[in-house]
Amino acid sequence: MQLAAIVISLVTTVIGTALAARAAAYIYKVVRTGSADSTRFGAPAQRVKTVAVEFLGHTRMNRWGVVGVAHWFVAVGFFSLVLTLVNAFGQLFDAEFVLPVIGDWLPWNIFVELIGTLTTLGIATLIVIRLLSLPSRAGRKSRFAGSIAWQAFYVEYTILGIGLCIMMLRGLEGALEGVDSYDPTYLISYPIVVAFSGVAHGTLVNLIYVFAMLKICISFAWAITIGINPSMGVAWHRFLAFFNIYFKRAEDGSTALGALRPMTSNGEAIDFEDPADDAVFGVSQVEHFSWKGILDFSTCTECGRCQSQCPAWNTGKPLSPKLLIMSLREHAFAKAPYLLAGGGKDMEGEEKATSEQLKDVPAAALAEAERPLIGTAEENGVIDPDVLWSCTTCGACVEQCPVDIEHVDHIVDMRRYQVMIESNFPTEAGTMLKNLENKGNPWGLATKARLDWVKELKKETGIEVPVIGEDIDPAEVEYLYWVGCAGALEDRAKKTTKAFAELLHTAGVKFAILGKEETCTGDSPRRLGNEFLFQMLGAQNVETLNAALEDAPTKRIVATCPHCFNTIANEYPQLGGHFEVIHHTQLLQHLIDEGKLLPVNPVEGLITYHDPCYLGRHNKVYTPPREIIEKVPGLRNEEMHRHKERGFCCGAGGARMWMEERIGKRINTERVDEALSLNPDIVSTACPFCLVMLSDSVNGKKNEGAAKEHLKVVDVAQLLLESVKAAPAADPEQEPVDA
């Protein structure tokens, strides 16, 4: 028995180690096929800290309650119990073997008992959760829909088997030692000790040989399996996740949200005034992704947290962030032999490798290399265009991913090529782009229309809003109010603009606007993929802002649109524009705290607040709008099921505001249905895009008789103004505030 156990274990170990090492080297080579990216190496100490915090703290996973706790024990047990594997090798040769130094140390034995048991219970919990959420039962609602099921179950049952072997060996060790009363050394395995206490010595020895062999063989059979499946992310993520987290985009450890990465070619930012002749615009081949992108694809564990939060997937559209990443991973590994042999196409589509270089490349890899990265099923494309254009760039996938995959950056990179090189994008978006080029706003309205709301406000309230440089000196301005296209030109959003301006006037804040000098920040074209137009609009705005605020004490800007807020604060630094930018809810909360705004008049009703993605997830501004609502007397706030970090998109981000939804349920309808489940009187938000999308859906629900007629959709600024203003005389004929 002992000889057989030794031979089987050692053979399995040698094969498993060799195959796993070979696969690890191959993964490294595949990752290196990506383009250069020199931005991932700064602040090494902070990056190490981020890895430690995210792993030991399980900062993403622990948001999922019992799943996070169970996974923590599995992850910690996987690495911390590796010495039990060493111990098993020793037991093959001597059944009474214990590790030198720590083998008889009580704290170590208690640690093994606790972590071994909790790892086993943890993986059993995860297996049960997976079984209860099988796609065959839950369909698209299962976050495991589309995952490679056999790989996930194989990994889970492997860990379960190892955990059971650890506990069995602990019990057999106690029985062999002759433990006849409770001993803390066998804190949890003592019942197993008792169960085997009457078994003959020779039998116990043989059982130890068997279970030591089982533990080793299960472990290295897993190594063999991952060795012959280098794209098996559900297994390889145990190692790759540390690197993926270390090399994440932000040096400070924050998620890859807010700003988009500058457009690069061969690792260098593209100079749009004088691009290099060989510059690659966007991503049209998998090797055009950076090496970090390929590492992202390789690290995906197929857990489906991104998929479960994705507004597109949840409304019947073909985009699943998980399936997109999996498709890119499988394509990258299938194409890798061709790339590693020197294969590749130049900008004209000509093959760069010689026939001699490609002679040993498998036919399957050559065929994979011919597939278009973006293309329909008929075109044998890797990513369907409907998948690419369904994304709202809401960031839910990036926020939830436990291994820090940067989905939004990859989607936008693919869009950039489609828009700038192929001119292939939804036709409705073309109108928006044309209007921005010609008029500086997506509706194509005359520039002078940007001041219509100023005239309306003066007529309604007598308040005059000054234009910086014309009516007021920059040195007198506390805040430059960036109104934004929607805030200046869209009727519903203009109500927010006027309410905010009136509140600033009431609070005595010295502010001014740019007026006709303001133009679109470029958020929508950039997220659509038209980087050139973003660069043009952004450079114009940065020049205007720098000139307007040159003599201001501080370059402080306040914006009512989260998309403008995000672009000016996070993306204009890429263009040389460095400003202090806040959102209007942040300023309003500050003014309330200072006592400059006093909400005293009750606004009665049940309210639910919708988190704008570009205010919440992208910029972590969750508290100010809620605190404003809390300060308004009469309001009873109730959160929707999906809120804050898990808030659900309105459907307008990622330039989707300008594109029709032709597949599945409308995202704004899904969000309003969730709001209506609370039977609110008011749906509030803090974004003009959200205001428009939610209003459209609420009005549709009213027409269907599915929503109360008095239900209104308003910005928090409108609510605050209603409470701050002196109560008007009662008028039974007065109509309710229109959304």
Side-chain angles (χ1 to χ4, degrees):
M1 175 61 73
Q2 183 182 25
L3 180 60
I6 290 172
V7 171
I8 293 170
S9 297
L10 293 181
V11 169
T12 307
T13 300
V14 170
I15 295 172
T17 302
L19 289 176
R22 186 187 69 169
Y26 184 69
I27 291 170
Y28 175 76
K29 291 179 183 177
V30 174
V31 169
R32 288 290 302 273
T33 62
S35 64
D37 185 350
S38 61
T39 66
R40 306 284 179 165
F41 301 96
Q46 178 59 46
R47 289 181 182 275
V48 170
K49 179 182 175 183
T50 298
V51 173
V53 168
E54 289 202 22
F55 175 68
L56 295 176
H58 255 48
T59 50
R60 306 289 181 83
M61 294 291 294
N62 283 337
R63 297 175 186 173
W64 291 71
V66 66
V67 176
V69 175
H71 190 275
W72 187 90
F73 284 111
V74 171
V76 169
F78 180 84
F79 292 102
S80 65
L81 296 178
V82 68
L83 288 180
T84 63
L85 186 60
V86 176
N87 198 76
F89 276 108
Q91 288 172 318
L92 290 176
F93 297 92
D94 178 2
E96 298 183 9
F97 175 84
V98 294
L99 292 170
V101 183
I102 64 171
D104 292 318
W105 190 37
L106 181 61
W108 165 251
N109 285 301
I110 291 176
F111 176 82
V112 171
E113 290 276 319
L114 287 173
I115 298 299
T117 301
L118 291 171
T119 296
T120 306
L121 292 175
I123 200 64
T125 300
L126 296 180
I127 290 171
V128 169
I129 289 171
R130 187 178 293 272
L131 289 170
L132 292 175
S133 305
L134 287 175
S136 58
R137 299 182 183 184
R140 285 176 67 98
K141 290 184 179 179
S142 168
R143 62 185 174 91
F144 302 116
S147 298
I148 304 174
W150 78 262
Q151 293 184 355
F153 279 118
Y154 176 75
V155 169
E156 289 175 343
Y157 285 120
T158 291
I159 297 168
L160 180 64
I162 291 172
L164 292 174
C165 284
I166 289 173
M167 299 313 294
M168 280 298 297
L169 283 169
R170 294 289 300 154
L172 290 168
E173 290 163 15
L176 188 64
E177 192 179 317
V179 174
D180 56 5
S181 62
Y182 183 76
D183 187 335
T185 300
Y186 302 99
L187 184 69
I188 298 170
S189 63
Y190 183 69
I192 304 175
V193 174
V194 173
F196 286 96
S197 61
V199 177
H201 180 274
T203 303
L204 289 173
V205 168
N206 283 331
L207 285 172
I208 287 177
Y209 294 151
V210 168
F211 279 98
M213 177 188 69
L214 277 175
K215 185 180 188 313
I216 293 166
C217 288
I218 291 172
S219 299
F220 285 94
W222 179 78
I224 291 170
T225 303
I226 69 171
I228 59 179
N229 291 284
S231 66
M232 190 174 173
V234 70
W236 279 105
H237 86 276
R238 294 173 177 278
F239 310 108
L240 298 180
F242 295 106
F243 298 100
N244 212 49
I245 294 170
Y246 179 88
F247 291 117
K248 67 194 300 185
R249 191 175 85 181
E251 292 180 354
D252 64 1
S254 57
T255 51
L257 294 173
L260 284 173
R261 280 170 53 81
M263 195 165 167
T264 61
S265 176
N266 298 317
E268 299 295 329
I270 295 175
D271 180 358
F272 279 85
E273 293 184 1
D274 184 25
D277 292 338
D278 61 347
V280 178
F281 290 80
V283 168
S284 64
Q285 302 290 333
V286 73
E287 62 269 25
H288 293 165
F289 287 109
S290 72
W291 60 263
K292 174 57 168 64
I294 310 294
L295 181 60
D296 270 0
F297 311 153
S298 306
T299 308
C300 178
T301 185
E302 303 175 25
C303 67
R305 283 166 180 78
C306 57
Q307 180 174 287
S308 72
Q309 304 298 301
C310 178
W313 182 261
N314 275 280
T315 52
K317 296 168 182 62
L319 169 63
S320 156
K322 177 188 71 177
L323 297 180
L324 176 126
I325 295 297
M326 288 172 62
S327 296
L328 292 171
R329 178 188 68 200
E330 298 306 318
H331 175 59
F333 277 87
K335 188 177 180 180
Y338 163 79
L339 296 173
L340 292 172
K345 303 285 177 68
D346 60 22
M347 295 299 290
E348 285 72 40
E350 297 295 322
E351 178 58 59
K352 293 186 289 187
T354 64
S355 55
E356 179 66 23
Q357 287 176 290
L358 300 179
K359 64 182 178 64
D360 295 324
V361 175
L366 293 172
E368 193 72 24
E370 296 302 317
R371 296 181 67 191
L373 189 66
I374 307 298
T376 62
E378 291 76 15
E379 296 165 333
N380 197 27
V382 178
I383 305 297
D384 191 279
D386 284 335
V387 169
L388 189 65
W389 298 111
S390 292
C391 179
T392 66
T393 68
C394 71
C397 49
V398 180
E399 178 70 36
Q400 292 298 328
C401 181
V403 293
D404 282 298
I405 292 171
E406 299 164 5
H407 313 72
V408 172
D409 284 349
H410 304 320
I411 288 171
V412 172
D413 274 340
M414 289 186 283
R415 285 181 171 187
R416 284 167 168 167
Y417 181 84
Q418 293 299 304
V419 172
M420 300 182 69
I421 303 301
E422 297 290 337
S423 295
N424 188 5
F425 51 90
T427 53
E428 317 92 77
T431 303
M432 177 266 292
L433 294 176
K434 185 177 179 180
N435 288 335
L436 288 176
E437 290 173 4
N438 296 332
K439 297 292 186 179
N441 68 80
W443 290 279
L445 297 176
T447 302
K448 63 181 181 180
R450 285 185 177 273
L451 288 169
D452 286 352
W453 72 270
V454 176
K455 299 170 188 172
E456 294 169 15
L457 182 64
K458 183 177 180 181
K459 183 178 179 181
E460 294 166 9
T461 66
I463 296 172
E464 295 190 12
V465 177
V467 176
I468 198 166
E470 294 180 16
D471 308 315
I472 190 171
D473 189 86
E476 299 177 54
V477 174
E478 292 179 70
Y479 290 94
L480 172 64
Y481 175 22
W482 184 275
V483 181
C485 299
L489 303 170
E490 206 284 328
D491 287 339
R492 287 164 288 189
K494 280 160 69 173
K495 293 178 181 177
T496 302
T497 305
K498 290 185 282 187
F500 181 57
E502 189 171 349
L503 285 166
L504 292 182
H505 177 79
T506 302
V509 176
K510 289 283 187 180
F511 74 100
I513 61 172
L514 286 174
K516 291 184 288 186
E517 293 299 309
E518 192 177 290
T519 192
C520 177
T521 59
D523 164 83
S524 287
R526 189 174 214 198
R527 277 149 186 79
L528 182 74
N530 194 329
E531 183 72 8
F532 180 79
L533 182 53
F534 163 74
Q535 295 277 336
M536 184 179 75
L537 294 168
Q540 180 181 337
N541 281 325
V542 167
E543 183 180 353
T544 301
L545 287 167
N546 280 332
L549 296 173
E550 185 177 7
D551 298 326
T554 55
K555 297 182 178 183
R556 290 192 295 189
I557 299 171
V558 60
T560 41
C561 175
H563 296 265
C564 297
F565 164 56
N566 178 70
T567 303
I568 299 171
N570 299 325
E571 298 189 330
Y572 279 7
Q574 298 172 8
L575 307 177
H578 300 275
F579 311 102
E580 181 184 327
V581 192
I582 63 170
H583 189 251
H584 75 291
T585 56
Q586 294 173 300
L587 180 54
L588 292 177
Q589 180 205 10
H590 176 68
L591 294 173
I592 292 172
D593 290 344
E594 285 193 331
K596 293 181 179 179
L597 290 175
L598 298 173
V600 291
N601 300 311
V603 179
E604 300 294 340
L606 176 66
I607 185 172
T608 189
Y609 173 73
H610 163 81
D611 285 286
C613 299
Y614 274 81
L615 182 63
R617 262 190 301 270
H618 282 275
N619 286 285
K620 307 298 180 281
V621 179
Y622 297 110
T623 304
R626 288 174 169 82
E627 290 202 354
I628 293 169
I629 290 170
E630 187 180 321
K631 294 290 173 61
V632 175
L635 288 177
R636 291 170 289 118
N637 185 30
E638 190 168 342
E639 297 282 8
M640 284 182 266
H641 175 66
R642 294 176 286 205
H643 65 279
K644 293 189 176 178
E645 289 87 353
R646 293 199 195 180
F648 196 77
C649 184
C650 75
R656 290 295 322 176
M657 178 83 170
W658 321 106
M659 295 181 252
E660 276 300 320
E661 282 189 61
R662 296 187 174 88
I663 304 173
K665 184 179 181 180
R666 294 182 67 89
I667 293 173
N668 59 338
T669 301
E670 171 74 9
R671 186 53 163 167
V672 165
D673 283 344
E674 185 173 0
L676 292 179
S677 69
L678 302 175
N679 194 29
D681 303 295
I682 304 168
V683 176
S684 182
T685 188
C687 169
F689 283 14
C690 296
L691 193 72
V692 169
M693 299 297 283
L694 298 177
S695 295
D696 284 348
S697 184
V698 164
N699 290 336
K701 294 291 182 181
K702 287 181 180 179
N703 292 336
E704 297 168 6
K708 297 183 289 193
E709 279 302 317
H710 70 267
L711 174 63
K712 57 186 179 181
V713 181
V714 294
D715 189 276
V716 291
Q718 294 170 265
L719 287 171
L720 181 59
L721 179 63
E722 191 176 343
S723 183
V724 167
K725 289 178 73 171
D731 182 358
E733 299 299 320
Q734 187 179 23
E735 294 183 1
V737 176
D738 187 11

